[in-house]
Amino acid sequence: MFSADTECARLMRDLDWSANPLGPPPTWPTELKTLVGIMLGSRQPMFVAWGPHEIMLYNDAYALLCGARHPAIGVPFQVLWADILDDVYPILRAAYEGRSTHMEDISIVMHRNGYPEEAHFSFSYTPVRDARGNIPGMFCACDEITEQVRHRRAQEQERALLYEVLRLSPGATALVMGPDHVFALANERFLYLCGKDSGIIGRPTAEVLPEIVGQGFIRLMDQVFTTGTPYEGRDIPIDLLHDDHAEMTRHYVDFVYQPFADPMTGTRGVLIQGIDVTDRREKEERQRIIANELSHRMKNQLAVVRAVISQTMRRARDTREAAQVIDGRLMALGRAQNLLLNTEAEESTVAAVVRAALSPYDEGTSARYRLSGPHVVLGGQLVMSLSLVVHELGTNALKHGAFSVPEGQVDIVWGLETVPEGRRFTFDWREKGGPPVSEPQAKGSGSGLIAAGLGTFGGEVIMDFAPEGLHCRMSALLGSEGMVI
């Protein structure tokens, strides 16, 4: 019975059993001898508790579970495990009463090595019956699974952490498993992108998003799942049917299909990670349009500058006069350009254009002129043209008209008229209080620029050199570059 070449077998052979409640081994019942022989020959942790004193007999594998309390062969169960009786003694008593117990995982805080530690065990407590049907003891086969539980917990914590990271990820993330691409995980960004509230977990992708089947995305998932090769798409259009919309919504996405294998089960799937770049694409498109518009404006501005220089040089008496005139006109164009670029500070309205063009003549106050008209916002080319026209009128008024004397004033009135062809913009410049006016014998470059400037958008100019003051009336049809707010 004690013939096994093990430590516990030697301890049993050397123990003075005559002083033990079990008595000498030769007197033990056959059932106990058989169980001890089996137990000592096994590498699985086992013990037998026998007799009314519940004397412990165990093998070498169980000795490792006892920690610093080993050796405890021949010691009552209640002595060996005094610190955990609340957890295990009811189970032992149940076995003595004929009820077997099997547990896959029992957690116990024990002091087997002199300090508290959490330990986990799987075991079976089995009643042992003698020939008369009585239960003189019980038998236990068990395993300590503390390390396995710790490892499982670490994996679960790692998985929980991964799920939390994916849930909070700024990109749309989902995990689909198996050949049918069944959703196992989907974060809020993914649900938002797809227009789904919830209820997709456990359902195949083709069932949740049938609209993407014909767009080739399921085929790509099949390819990644089968080959194990990732797939990356950039700026890919995808039409999605949101739960709260009756029509498809076009998105553009950057995404990756990454092959995935569950480290615990080995089950394969596809990890989906994507970013909705629709806003970025729209922004790039707006930037492209703005770049084209800036290019168009630059060409127009260069054409205006060229015309200004050409007309001024043809009609100037000398280069010094030409330089002064050109400088003033370019300054007017510069102020108009500032209006177009600094849209946050002031819109390109008629009033704003006029004030900017006349700023060199009002010395910080607009008392020299009065403005009256509706809120009309002009497009880029009209801003440049009107700015140049008003600058020429202001220059002429400073040299020969209302701005040349302190009491002179200019009334500036504009409006919009509805005509069969669309909307007509009118602009009146009327001077008063200045020196007498007469029509010049020859037209200067300023008059030419006024007519040319308004002519860029199909307008006409009427110049009335009345003795009481110049009256300039301009009108033009507004196209897409002018609108009323």
Side-chain angles (χ1 to χ4, degrees), residues 149-162:
V149 170
R150 289 175 181 170
H151 181 65
R152 184 175 68 246
R153 282 181 178 175
Q155 286 187 320
E156 290 172 351
Q157 290 173 355
E158 182 179 353
R159 176 170 291 192
L161 178 61
L162 174 62

Side-chain angles (χ1 to χ4, degrees), residues 134-190:
N134 297 321
I135 303 175
M138 55 81 59
F139 172 77
C140 172
C142 61
D143 279 302
E144 181 170 1
I145 58 172
T146 303
E147 288 303 317
Q148 294 92 314
V149 170
R150 289 175 181 170
H151 181 65
R152 184 175 68 246
R153 282 181 178 175
Q155 286 187 320
E156 290 172 351
Q157 290 173 355
E158 182 179 353
R159 176 170 291 192
L161 178 61
L162 174 62
Y163 279 13
E164 185 66 7
V165 169
L166 295 181
R167 186 182 71 83
L168 298 176
S169 172
T173 304
L175 179 64
V176 295
M177 302 301 293
D180 293 331
H181 315 302
V182 175
F183 278 103
L185 170 72
N187 69 355
E188 294 177 3
R189 287 281 185 176
F190 186 88

